[in-house]
Amino acid sequence: MKLLNCALAIFLISFFNISTTYAQSTGEIHGNFQADVQYYIPDTAIGADTIPEKMLMNSFANVIYTKDKFSAGVRFESYHNALLGFDSRYVGNGIPYRYATYKADELEVTVGNYYEQFGNGLIFRSYEERGLGLDNAMDGIRVKYEVCKGLFLKGIVGKQRLYFTEGEGILRGFDGELQVNETFKKLAEKKTRVILGGSFISKYQAQPTGAQYVFPENVGASAGRVNIIRGNFRLTSEYAQKINDPSNDNGFIYKEGQAFLLMTSYAKKGFSLTLNAKHIDNMGFRSDRNATTNDLIINYSPAFCIQHTYLLAALYPYASQSNGEVAFQTEAAYKFKKGTKIGGEYGTEIKINYSGANSLDTAHLNDMESSRKGYKTNFWGVGDQLYFRDFVIEINKKFNKKVKATLVYSNQNFNIDVVQGKDGKPNILSNIVIADITYKVTSDKAFRIEMQSFTTEDDHSGNWAAGLIEATIGTNWYVAVFDLYNYGEYTDELGHKGYADYNKIHFINASAGYIKNANRISLGYGKQRAGVFCVGGVCRTVPASNGLTLSITSSF
Amino acid sequence: MKKIFLFASAISSFFFYSCDYVGNPIPPVNANLDDTSTCNAPTFPTITSHVKKILIEDYTGHTCTNCPNAARKLEDLDTTYDGQIIALGLHVSGYALPNAGSTGGPSGSYLNDYRTSYGDAYDTYFQISNAGLPKGMVNRTPYNNTTYTHRKNWWEWAAAVTSQLGQAPKMELQIINDFNATGQKLCSHIKAEFLTANTGTFKLVLLLAQDSIIDWQFDGGVNDSTYVHRHVLRDAITDKWGAVIATGNISASHSIITKFAYKIPNDYKNIPVDMHQMYVIAFVYDAANYEILQAEHEKVIP
């Protein structure tokens, strides 16, 4: 590993100076940089603790060299120390990501680190999501081979990144994809396009000494998928299975896991309709059976819920339940044409989305002292327990050359007990209304106002209201002020009344930014409430904080 | 097409060999274990003068010609440090196979199988016979699964013993055996008392050994039919990696009293048991580095 790091460093340094001038003959160097710094002020009213270092920083830089069919890169990361809410094992400096890859005819070889996904990720997805502090990059080798036109094979072997170390388990896997219309000449002109895929992955982790159970050292998972496209219609489906994989996720049961995905969509100009459904059963899959939080996750379950961008709609984000869920999502979008009654002068877009998830329909097995399968699942059933529902209407309308608006209504039902593990709290029913109005003063000056409301009677955190005023000045500057306010009463399950957790507290945030070409610098000050932040159904807990933030991003 | 077929066969074989299906997740429980509810609690005598005792594991095999050298060294040490050495012979590897004829011995020789699943597990885990026999461990220390510093040749044992005995005892371990000859039921009562404050997880292991079994041994190129096999491991009463008796911050004088019931069979793998030669061997180790804090042995029938 050290040797590879050294070789890469020497290699990159020797090319650094000649990157632009001789780009044609010697290749190119690109990269990007980001630093997030926060200065923390203790604030007992919102539960923001004293941070001994006072200031924390997350930072990284990528440097990538490419020449023809060869590329190599490194990522330097620096945490002094990790920002609040990120795992403290992100500490100090390091080069956790370095790779070299080349392509020779049908063969592509990558050594070092890489990200990869098989199909929809049901059995394997190695990816990075900085906002979550999630990075399960592989370290090992990857080989891709194009057997013949339309038939692709991928093979991977390696270990997963665990902060500045690697997980214990070894992953071995392959994926094959056949683009039927490409491979078989007779089908080349057919209107229906079909893509078939199959994948398999196995993890190895040794049996620990003195373990309470006999563990499977090699755990395999396989998946098959199909993709059918005909005209405006598209269907994607995948089925995956995993053999016995006792882990901390599933309470060390030996039940097989399975997952099924169905995603259909129809789209034509001005109209689209999607319908998605999934069944996930005991699919928690990590390269260390004892891992927790977002550590060493091997696979991924696509999120079937709207990823809300407005804060109060995202107050209770849904996290995919890898242990088991039946979920659905349907969305219809329609654009009323210009000149019609609803469409007005510029047209009006309406989007309706309904998504939800329930528990599995299971029957408990009393076998924890013998086969430890835990439970039996009725594949076609839906369990009684509601995990979440979200009904959303979004209207986008441009009134005239200066004013446009987005109106969002969301009705949510969120099971905080299951999704966030907060015992004893009921499902939280809430209504969220958001208005977002942009007023363009001149071609490069604009004001934007957001008004948001979140009301509920079920949660200790009560009602919330939020407002934002943002001004964009010229092409380079923006200034924004945001206030989040908590108010109201609640009645708990025993009928006791109380005030909202942060009753009558203003979480004020002010920020300003400067953007020029590839550089972006922003400075902010404000209070952050404790909560949960999710990307694609994978979540991170965000503790309360109060302080000054500085963010710099740049690329070359 | 040929290429596709080749890929397909390579891939499908990978499929079959990369999955371990576990039918029974619960590790097998020793069928000889018995009900402890009828084991009456004894009174453990108060001990004021504490002595450190050392477990020496001698990994051996009946067709291993150099192994008796190690066994004799172990006896020497036992004599030199009287009462401070807890000896255990573990028959492992190809040298312990029931294997007539391999040493040129007469027909009927070397047919007994003295191996146990516990000895095999220790041998594999600590990588002992991999490096050739005889080899052994002195209190399983200093444990290192890369450099195998815990694995020692018999001529290195004496130095290791001296070094270990230079340390003050960290624990007092007492065994009181109560054997009922009628049902062949053994009640083994253990008291473990920490003498110093410790942090970590500590596990207690109870093994059953049989002393002075007379059987074939290849000794210095000679087939000896009346060789005396000492302290032979026959079974484990606890799990091979033991049971946790204390974890976390443990104060000095913290003590644990526990009991085990075990029905001694008439034979193991058709090798007869002599009740008068049976010993309970107990030891407590630090789960972090396998170092044995204290060891003890006690005859089943005093």
Side-chain angles (χ1 to χ4, degrees):
Chain A
M1 186 128 133
K2 265 186 181 165
L3 202 67
L4 186 62
N5 282 339
C6 272
L8 274 167
I10 292 165
F11 173 78
L12 288 166
I13 290 162
S14 46
F15 280 100
F16 207 90
N17 297 323
I18 39 177
S19 62
T20 36
T21 327
Y22 302 104
Q24 290 302 314
S25 55
T26 54
E28 292 179 16
I29 288 187
H30 290 287
N32 63 329
F33 166 77
Q34 182 174 327
D36 293 294
V37 182
Q38 187 163 3
Y39 180 81
Y40 295 90
I41 300 160
D43 187 338
T44 49
I46 61 167
D49 291 338
T50 304
I51 304 298
E53 302 94 329
K54 292 189 183 344
M55 193 196 93
L56 300 172
M57 181 199 71
N58 287 7
S59 170
F60 72 93
N62 281 303
V63 181
I64 296 163
Y65 169 77
T66 47
K67 183 179 188 312
D68 303 327
K69 290 174 177 175
F70 175 84
S71 87
V74 291
R75 189 200 306 135
F76 171 81
E77 292 183 15
S78 180
Y79 303 89
H80 290 299
N81 285 327
L83 290 174
L84 207 59
F86 287 85
D87 198 290
S88 60
R89 283 170 287 179
Y90 282 123
V91 63
N93 303 320
I95 300 181
Y97 195 89
R98 72 280 179 274
Y99 75 97
T101 181
Y102 76 91
K103 195 169 191 297
D105 300 322
E106 295 87 11
L107 183 73
E108 186 188 311
V109 176
T110 305
V111 296
N113 299 102
Y114 54 88
Y115 295 109
E116 184 58 76
Q117 175 170 336
F118 293 167
N120 297 291
L122 286 181
I123 61 165
F124 180 55
R125 184 187 186 200
S126 163
Y127 71 114
E128 187 205 14
E129 187 53 67
R130 293 221 142 248
L132 296 175
L134 184 158
D135 185 3
N136 60 3
M138 291 290 293
D139 190 8
I141 62 147
R142 175 181 61 190
V143 178
K144 292 183 182 182
Y145 193 74
E146 188 176 348
V147 182
C148 58
K149 200 180 173 198
L151 178 59
F152 305 92
L153 292 180
K154 277 185 237 178
I156 59 120
V157 178
K159 286 185 165 195
Q160 285 182 298
R161 177 180 179 189
L162 179 69
Y163 307 99
F164 281 114
T165 63
E166 285 176 350
E168 191 183 312
I170 304 169
L171 297 183
R172 297 75 51 99
F174 73 84
D175 180 74
E177 186 163 290
L178 176 68
Q179 296 173 356
V180 175
N181 305 73
E182 302 290 324
T183 307
F184 302 101
K185 279 180 190 162
K186 279 184 186 171
L187 303 171
E189 301 305 316
K190 295 279 182 198
K191 262 191 172 175
T192 306
R193 320 292 296 172
V194 177
I195 302 165
L196 300 172
S199 47
F200 179 76
I201 188 147
S202 165
K203 70 156 175 183
Y204 170 78
Q205 188 185 11
Q207 168 87 12
T209 56
Q212 198 180 352
Y213 307 114
V214 178
F215 289 116
E217 294 189 323
N218 293 286
V219 175
S222 50
R225 60 184 185 270
V226 61
N227 225 320
I228 301 169
I229 305 152
R230 188 183 169 93
N232 298 326
F233 177 78
R234 178 185 278 266
L235 180 146
T236 302
S237 186
E238 184 162 7
Y239 177 76
Q241 254 190 335
K242 179 167 67 84
I243 71 158
N244 49 202
D245 181 23
S247 69
N248 189 56
D249 283 338
N250 65 12
F252 296 98
I253 61 166
Y254 286 66
K255 187 186 191 299
E256 292 74 26
Q258 64 176 348
F260 176 71
L261 274 189
L262 179 70
M263 297 184 275
T264 56
S265 66
Y266 176 83
K268 65 172 193 175
K269 200 181 174 196
F271 175 72
S272 71
L273 181 71
T274 62
L275 187 65
N276 300 337
K278 71 171 173 178
H279 171 107
I280 303 287
D281 182 8
N282 190 24
M283 283 301 283
F285 194 23
R286 301 179 193 248
S287 56
D288 185 330
R289 58 178 79 88
N290 298 310
T292 56
T293 61
N294 289 335
D295 295 350
L296 300 170
I297 297 171
I298 300 174
N299 63 343
Y300 176 73
S301 159
F304 283 176
C305 54
I306 278 200
Q307 180 130 5
H308 287 289
T309 47
Y310 296 104
L311 181 76
L312 292 190
L315 216 50
Y316 291 107
Y318 184 66
S320 297
Q321 300 297 303
S322 62
N323 277 344
E325 62 178 351
V326 182
F328 68 93
Q329 182 179 31
T330 179
E331 183 173 291
Y334 186 75
K335 186 173 182 181
F336 291 92
K337 285 181 186 163
K338 290 177 192 174
T340 57
K341 206 174 178 184
I342 300 175
E345 199 180 338
Y346 295 91
T348 302
E349 276 176 30
I350 294 186
K351 201 162 76 178
I352 297 172
N353 188 302
Y354 186 47
S355 58
N358 267 49
S359 59
L360 295 170
D361 180 14
T362 58
H364 176 74
L365 296 174
N366 196 14
D367 70 341
M368 293 311 265
E369 295 305 316
S370 52
S371 53
R372 290 185 70 84
K373 297 269 183 199
Y375 63 92
K376 249 187 354 196
T377 309
N378 170 17
F379 183 77
W380 301 106
V382 176
D384 297 333
Q385 205 173 13
L386 185 148
Y387 288 174
F388 95 100
R389 288 287 184 278
D390 189 2
F391 175 78
V392 184
I393 301 178
E394 186 181 316
I395 302 169
N396 281 291
K397 185 162 175 67
K398 190 172 173 184
F399 292 94
N400 54 44
K401 282 185 179 170
K402 288 191 179 293
V403 181
K404 66 172 181 179
T406 301
L407 199 67
V408 179
Y409 168 73
S410 169
N411 177 281
Q412 298 182 3
N413 184 345
F414 183 81
N415 188 329
I416 198 165
D417 181 4
V418 169
V419 185
Q420 293 185 1
K422 293 188 176 167
D423 277 351
K425 285 199 178 184
N427 275 43
I428 297 168
L429 273 80
S430 56
N431 284 298
I432 299 121
V433 180
I434 292 148
D436 178 348
I437 301 159
T438 307
Y439 179 75
K440 220 171 176 181
V441 184
T442 61
S443 64
D444 63 355
K445 280 198 187 78
F447 285 103
R448 197 168 70 83
I449 296 170
E450 264 180 35
M451 287 169 290
Q452 305 187 27
S453 157
F454 173 101
T455 49
T456 181
E457 291 177 354
D458 298 321
D459 186 19
H460 294 203
S461 65
N463 300 327
W464 295 85
L468 167 106
I469 301 173
E470 186 186 82
T472 311
I473 308 146
T475 46
N476 302 127
W477 288 93
Y478 78 88
V479 185
V481 180
F482 182 80
D483 184 22
L484 175 67
Y485 180 67
N486 187 207
Y487 67 100
E489 291 180 350
Y490 70 89
T491 309
D492 71 11
E493 54 272 31
L494 297 170
H496 300 137
K497 282 194 180 298
Y499 291 108
D501 289 349
Y502 294 131
N503 203 32
K504 294 179 181 169
I505 290 181
H506 286 274
F507 290 80
I508 291 178
N509 278 271
S511 60
Y514 176 75
I515 305 158
K516 193 181 175 191
N517 300 325
N519 298 331
R520 185 180 193 276
I521 299 166
S522 65
L523 195 64
Y525 172 76
K527 295 179 182 180
Q528 163 86 50
R529 67 177 267 282
V532 173
F533 168 70
C534 299
V535 179
V538 181
C539 302
R540 170 172 79 86
T541 306
V542 181
S545 66
N546 180 355
L548 201 64
T549 55
L550 169 71
S551 174
I552 302 167
T553 60
S554 169
S555 60
F556 63 94
Chain B
M1 205 60 203
K2 216 173 168 184
K3 210 155 56 169
I4 297 174
F5 179 74
L6 200 74
F7 272 116
S9 12
I11 284 165
S12 44
S13 54
F14 177 64
F15 243 102
F16 288 113
Y17 292 106
S18 305
C19 288
D20 297 337
Y21 295 93
V22 177
N24 184 10
I26 316 289
V29 174
N30 193 326
N32 295 323
L33 289 181
D34 210 334
D35 176 24
T36 55
S37 61
T38 54
C39 295
N40 297 321
T43 308
F44 285 94
T46 308
I47 292 174
T48 46
S49 167
H50 307 290
V51 178
K52 187 169 171 90
K53 298 187 182 181
I54 292 166
L55 180 76
I56 301 181
E57 288 164 87
D58 173 18
Y59 288 76
T60 186
H62 53 185
T63 61
C64 161
T65 188
N66 294 318
C67 286
N69 291 335
R72 283 186 277 270
K73 183 70 199 174
L74 185 48
E75 279 186 56
D76 280 355
L77 288 167
D78 195 11
T79 312
T80 311
Y81 301 99
D82 188 25
Q84 286 188 280
I85 304 295
I86 309 298
L88 179 65
L90 303 96
H91 289 239
V92 296
S93 85
Y95 286 124
L97 282 172
N99 194 359
S102 69
T103 62
S107 69
S109 62
Y110 304 104
L111 289 185
N112 285 331
D113 186 358
Y114 289 97
R115 293 172 303 166
T116 60
S117 64
Y118 310 99
D120 290 349
Y122 295 143
D123 182 37
T124 307
Y125 188 77
F126 293 108
Q127 294 281 298
I128 306 292
S129 66
N130 261 358
L133 294 185
K135 289 277 185 306
M137 289 189 283
V138 177
N139 266 357
R140 298 186 171 175
T141 191
Y143 171 73
N144 186 318
N145 231 8
T146 310
T147 55
Y148 306 109
T149 41
H150 52 268
R151 181 176 67 203
K152 296 194 188 303
N153 292 302
W154 59 266
W155 55 87
E156 296 167 323
W157 293 354
V161 168
T162 316
S163 149
Q164 282 286 305
L165 287 180
Q167 298 171 16
K170 288 181 178 171
M171 170 174 273
E172 183 62 53
L173 198 56
Q174 289 173 263
I175 307 173
I176 296 179
N177 287 330
D178 178 8
F179 183 67
N180 180 341
T182 322
Q184 294 181 182
K185 181 175 171 177
L186 165 71
C187 287
S188 204
H189 300 269
I190 308 292
K191 182 179 178 184
E193 184 185 358
F194 286 88
L195 302 174
T196 56
N198 281 281
T199 302
T201 297
F202 300 91
K203 294 183 173 183
L204 166 71
V205 178
L206 246 68
L207 304 173
L208 211 52
Q210 184 173 345
D211 198 12
S212 303
I213 302 173
I214 295 168
D215 205 344
W216 287 93
Q217 174 70 45
F218 196 42
D219 182 359
V222 176
N223 290 301
D224 181 357
S225 66
T226 57
Y227 183 83
V228 182
H229 295 268
R230 304 287 314 268
H231 336 283
V232 182
L233 174 66
R234 304 305 306 273
D235 200 3
I237 298 176
T238 58
D239 175 79
K240 56 184 171 290
W241 298 109
V244 175
I245 54 162
T247 189
N249 291 322
I250 302 140
S251 56
S253 84
H254 175 74
S255 71
I256 303 101
I257 293 177
T258 183
K259 59 185 173 182
F260 299 87
Y262 180 95
K263 197 166 181 283
I264 302 179
N266 289 323
D267 65 85
Y268 295 99
K269 295 185 181 177
N270 295 322
I271 305 164
V273 165
D274 179 350
M275 298 297 173
H276 293 279
Q277 295 294 351
M278 297 302 282
Y279 281 83
V280 170
I281 292 180
F283 62 88
V284 172
Y285 72 97
D286 182 340
N289 59 12
Y290 300 95
E291 180 170 352
I292 292 170
L293 266 65
Q294 184 65 299
E296 186 54 280
H297 60 187
E298 190 63 49
K299 278 188 119 176
V300 165
I301 300 170

